[in-house]
Amino acid sequence: MKPVFKDSPSFFRNIGIILALFLLVIGIVIPLLLIFWQSVSTGQGLDLLAPIRTIAGHDLSSVLFQTIWLGVCVVAGTTLLALPLAWIMSKTRLGQHRWIDVVLMIPFMTPPYIGSMGWILFMQKGGYLQQWLPGSAALSDSFFSFGGMVLIMCLHLFPFLYLLLRDAIIRIGGNLEEAGAVHGASSGYRFRRIMLPLLLSSYGMGAMLVFVKTIAEFGTPATFGRRIGYYVMTSEIHKYISSWPIDFGKATSLASILLSVCLVMWYMQSTISRRFTYRLVGGKGQRSKRYALRGLTGAASVVYLALLLIFSIGIPYFSVIVASLMKLRGAGLAWDNLTLDHYRDLLTWGSVSMKALGNSLGLSLAASTIAVVLGTGFALAVGKSQKRTQRVIDLFSLLPNTVPGIVMVVGLILFWNSPWLPATLYNTYGMVVLTYVVLFLPYTVQYVKANFTQIDGSLFQAGQVFGGGPLLIMRRILLPLIVPGMLAGWIMTFTISVRELVGSLLILPPSMQTSATYIFAQFEQGQVSLGMAMAVVSVGMTVALLLVVEALKSNRKWNAS
């Protein structure tokens, strides 16, 4: 796409592109390159196989295989959960209830470590399940295993795959299936020869996302995985960086291998998408047939949806809320054992918890504001990505979404703690804000770019024809049209920064806490009620912010503007 302001001097346009590339290289590319450099540089020179030798020589290969196996099992589990749900919501009358889709996004919006803590409280010895069913001790014991860890992660990640599969099934429509039925194909044959090939591209993308998010996840392995003795790459990287003796050699070796696995998965997914992508939109359009819920099929669909909501939302949130209200954990579930004292202690002005909450809000506010300014600039520089420099900016700005968060944090630590820097941000509040900005910058870039690429260039030409200068066109045409994308990017960055755990654990200055690290510390130290009260407050603030934004979006004056 041509620049927005065609008559503006090319010098300033080039300066903007160079500045965008410089910031992205400094903030994202160089930290990632330092991970590879640190992992392959030895006392004898460069050794490209050094990360593999480090892992094999220190008995870390089992951690790599455990990580990959966990990713494979979670992909299989999310497929079993998401595929029937996608069919139900796209082919039955239940899909007409839009509130179900909103509710199904709650697991995704819930921080993984909070959901894991809720399941631990529910299933542990003397937990809520055993208080209701004293004979369920055997079930609780079997839950604390690899299978239980897979279940928890599947219940958190299945919305990714579900949304992609549901939209793909809707796009396929009912015409192709009807054509197969007219020619005598059975339902199984139609599913195998029509539906599956057309779903493969979307499924490949969703499965890759689930796999990458699984192997990059830190919260669940740090809470549930540590309890059952199942260690993965992210938990080991955190151990070598945060526990004495600190070993950056092993940490960077694990980080480079983890990054390589993620990049290979992205390449495989893009190959599958190119090979199995079909055009389904024609001049006649598509219509999707919905089946009435009758008999056994209807009852099974409703029961399946209800069980999925109970397991993914009901149990974790019930455990978290009850734990935050309980006076004494040993007294069990009883009305006289519930209190609001933990919330009063949590929200007492000047307390450690209030300082942690204030730190989260302040850091997230600064990070989201900086991210929306930088992300908007990068998105405008990218345009429709026709030039090579624009494609490079687009690629670099989206790298943090491809790279596991803990890998990105390790790279930032290596770069900003380098002795050759004249000044360093490491161990300062600025380092925390920078980390949040880098990790969540892609959200703003994507949202703003989506709005910007839909703007017809004739609008800017019309503004120039009527004598509008660059600043007037930007203020009266460009900004009003991209403000929704900027707002969406700001909200996403703010809400995720408030709950960010792995980056906060690794780069927070001493004696400083955020709401996420406070929850994690209280749970580890046995102060479960205070930690769960903080979890309820944090999630509640996120939900309240989203509701306010939805109210603004539905307001007629907002829409008119």
Side-chain angles (χ1 to χ4, degrees), residues 198-480:
L198 295 177
L199 289 176
L200 190 57
S201 177
S202 297
Y203 176 76
M205 178 181 295
M208 183 275 303
L209 281 172
V210 170
F211 182 86
V212 170
K213 286 189 170 294
T214 300
I215 66 175
E217 174 58 38
F218 172 77
T220 302
T223 53
F224 192 90
R226 183 185 301 175
R227 180 163 183 155
I228 65 175
Y230 195 91
Y231 302 102
V232 295
M233 302 279 278
T234 52
S235 58
E236 291 299 288
I237 293 172
H238 176 262
K239 182 183 73 174
Y240 288 125
I241 292 180
S242 60
S243 302
W244 186 261
I246 295 176
D247 193 336
F248 270 100
K250 291 181 182 178
T252 53
S253 296
L254 290 170
S256 61
I257 294 295
L258 183 60
L259 177 58
S260 301
V261 172
C262 292
L263 294 178
V264 169
M265 289 301 301
W266 277 103
Y267 175 77
M268 291 174 59
Q269 182 273 325
S270 61
T271 302
I272 294 175
S273 296
R274 286 195 303 268
R275 185 173 180 181
F276 296 99
T277 299
Y278 304 94
R279 295 178 182 269
L280 297 175
V281 179
K284 296 182 179 180
Q286 297 287 343
R287 58 184 179 85
S288 180
K289 180 179 179 181
R290 293 187 183 271
Y291 300 96
L293 293 173
R294 296 191 183 95
L296 184 61
T297 302
S301 299
V302 173
V303 169
Y304 179 80
L305 179 60
L307 290 176
L308 193 57
L309 293 177
I310 291 173
F311 279 86
S312 62
I313 302 172
I315 290 177
Y317 274 92
F318 169 81
S319 301
V320 169
I321 294 174
V322 168
S324 68
L325 296 173
M326 193 168 289
K327 294 180 183 178
L328 299 174
R329 294 176 59 191
L333 290 171
W335 287 110
D336 58 355
N337 194 34
L338 301 180
T339 180
L340 293 174
D341 290 345
H342 304 300
Y343 289 94
R344 184 188 60 200
D345 297 339
L346 181 76
L347 300 177
T348 300
W349 189 257
S351 63
V352 175
S353 54
M354 274 298 291
K355 290 180 180 178
L357 190 60
N359 289 334
S360 286
L361 295 176
L363 293 171
S364 301
L365 179 63
S368 56
T369 303
I370 295 173
V372 78
V373 173
L374 294 178
T376 301
F378 296 155
L380 297 180
V382 169
K384 291 188 177 179
S385 306
Q386 291 184 352
K387 295 183 178 179
R388 179 176 299 179
T389 52
Q390 291 175 317
R391 291 195 295 269
V392 171
I393 293 174
D394 194 21
L395 173 64
F396 287 170
S397 65
L398 297 180
L399 269 179
N401 256 1
T402 310
V403 177
I406 195 169
V407 175
M408 195 74 247
V409 173
V410 171
L412 291 172
I413 293 174
L414 290 175
F415 178 72
W416 292 103
N417 200 31
S418 300
W420 45 267
L421 285 177
T424 178
L425 286 176
Y426 186 69
N427 213 20
T428 65
Y429 287 9
M431 181 68 183
V432 186
V433 174
L434 174 67
T435 302
Y436 290 171
V437 170
V438 170
L439 288 178
F440 309 124
L441 180 66
Y443 293 107
T444 300
V445 175
Q446 287 290 78
Y447 284 124
V448 175
K449 189 174 70 172
N451 283 77
F452 178 63
T453 54
Q454 294 176 2
I455 302 175
D456 196 320
S458 61
L459 294 177
F460 304 114
Q461 296 171 4
Q464 292 174 343
V465 167
F466 285 92
L471 294 179
L472 180 64
I473 294 176
M474 175 180 289
R475 181 168 55 87
R476 299 300 299 272
I477 299 177
L478 177 62
L479 285 180

Side-chain angles (χ1 to χ4, degrees), residues 36-55:
F36 283 111
W37 177 264
Q38 184 85 3
S39 63
V40 301
S41 62
T42 62
Q44 292 75 30
L46 295 179
D47 183 4
L48 297 179
L49 298 179
I52 298 177
R53 292 193 179 95
T54 300
I55 291 177

Side-chain angles (χ1 to χ4, degrees), residues 476-494:
R476 299 300 299 272
I477 299 177
L478 177 62
L479 285 180
L481 292 175
I482 65 173
V483 159
M486 296 173 64
L487 178 63
W490 188 92
I491 293 170
M492 185 63 71
T493 303
F494 181 85

